[in-house]
Amino acid sequence: MKNTGINRVFLIVLDSFGIGAAPDAAEFGDAATCSTLRSVTESGLFPARNLRDLGLYNIDGVDCGRSYYDPAGAYARLRELSRGKDTTIGHWEMAGIVRSEPLPTYPDGFPADVIAQLEAAFGRKILCNKPYSGTQVIHDYGREHEETGALIVYTSADSVLQIAAHEDCVPVEQLYAYCRKAREIMCGAHAVGRIIARPFVGAYPNYERTPRRHDFSLEPTGETILDALKHAGKDVIGVGKISDIFAGRGLTRSLGVNESNTDGMRKTISLVDEDFTGLAYINLVDGDMIYGHRRDVEGYAHAMQEFDDWLGTFLPRMRESDVLMITADHGCDPGAAGTDHTREYVPLLVYGAYIAPHSLGTYPTFAMIGASIADMFDVPLTTKGESFLPSILI
């Protein structure tokens, strides 16, 4: 499709903002009742007027909130085709990569031979080596780490190896260096999606994680919409942890990791007044990282309402040739049991002067997003997703 009139796409990922259990949720240990959107909506703290007007509550299968009589956007429900429910897999799929094999996870901790390799590379002993809550692990192992210098290594239900260290014991740049060494070791059968540096500060029992977290991701295993746009000479701008998720590949510019959703929204709205042609790919992570895993319904609702309020400022500033796409990468229902991500459908809201308000129903893969962006800019992308643009382009 040529000459769409679209010059810029703002793709905003509300990290973990799922809208209801996927059909295979039980295979991932999740209840058929899990729904991040329902938990947040039923809190009574999420009026969501702007998201509602775009069509959030009109999406197939959404069983909470009030549908809007005249939505301003196109809207769809997307099911994840890849075998996973984590950040890396979710973002890769929306960019075009569908993985039939899940990335490795470690419900019993990392094997002894892997730990031995890590300790040899670090020159330090390792503590924990279990799936753990990120805030609880520093509470339980922080003092021993400070006393011995051993590094806290832990995982979760996701494909991650996380290394926590107190900034007074291990300078942040040194922690990043350890993560780079871990990235080299965690390859082949142990190629986890992300190695995450988790610096913290404070004194026991009041340790606090800092915003200097950094992800060292596995490089994407196929071509993405980021690569396709960059090869075509378009701008590809990352906001938040997008550069980390894609190991820097396909980006022409990164505005860096966000200190908070507020910081990410500030960076995003600054791009509205810039002249670029291509994609601004934004991740807002507070709902997941701060509230979802901690099962804080009220905090999650406030974070999403802050975004909804911000939309009231962003939407009027969009240019005629802009398209806004809002989606998520997985669920993390703050009303569910446990602390892990939840396998859920995700929303897709599409808005712009060239976009006809329309229900797109349910699609079988997040890769519809990458395929549609490729269609908007007439660039080639081989993916299992199909473009929905012909259905909604005015």
Side-chain angles (χ1 to χ4, degrees), residues 5 14 50-51 180 195-196 214 240 242 246 274 281 301 344 381:
L14 301 178
N50 291 300
L51 289 168
R180 293 186 186 97
I195 309 291
I196 306 178
H214 189 67
I242 297 300
F246 290 90
E274 291 192 16
Y281 196 173
E344 299 184 45
L381 179 68

Side-chain angles (χ1 to χ4, degrees), residues 323-346:
V323 169
L324 170 66
M325 305 173 78
I326 301 171
T327 190
D329 51 346
H330 51 74
C332 196
D333 181 0
T339 61
D340 295 325
H341 292 156
T342 41
R343 175 82 167 180
E344 299 184 45
Y345 288 106
V346 302

Side-chain angles (χ1 to χ4, degrees), residues 340-382:
D340 295 325
H341 292 156
T342 41
R343 175 82 167 180
E344 299 184 45
Y345 288 106
V346 302
L348 177 65
L349 302 173
V350 188
Y351 174 80
Y354 293 116
I355 303 301
H358 181 66
S359 173
L360 293 166
T362 298
Y363 281 101
T365 171
F366 297 0
M368 312 300 287
I369 294 174
S372 300
I373 295 173
D375 210 3
M376 291 175 189
F377 292 101
D378 193 28
V379 299
L381 179 68
T382 301

Side-chain angles (χ1 to χ4, degrees), residues 22-24 77-81 93 345-346 362-366:
D24 56 1
R77 178 172 69 166
L78 305 183
R79 178 179 176 182
E80 189 164 16
L81 186 56
E93 183 164 325
Y345 288 106
V346 302
T362 298
Y363 281 101
T365 171
F366 297 0

Side-chain angles (χ1 to χ4, degrees), residues 1-19:
M1 180 176 292
K2 302 179 185 298
N3 300 321
T4 62
I6 296 168
N7 287 329
R8 306 190 301 182
V9 173
F10 291 84
L11 173 57
I12 300 179
V13 180
L14 301 178
D15 204 301
S16 85
F17 196 51
I19 59 171

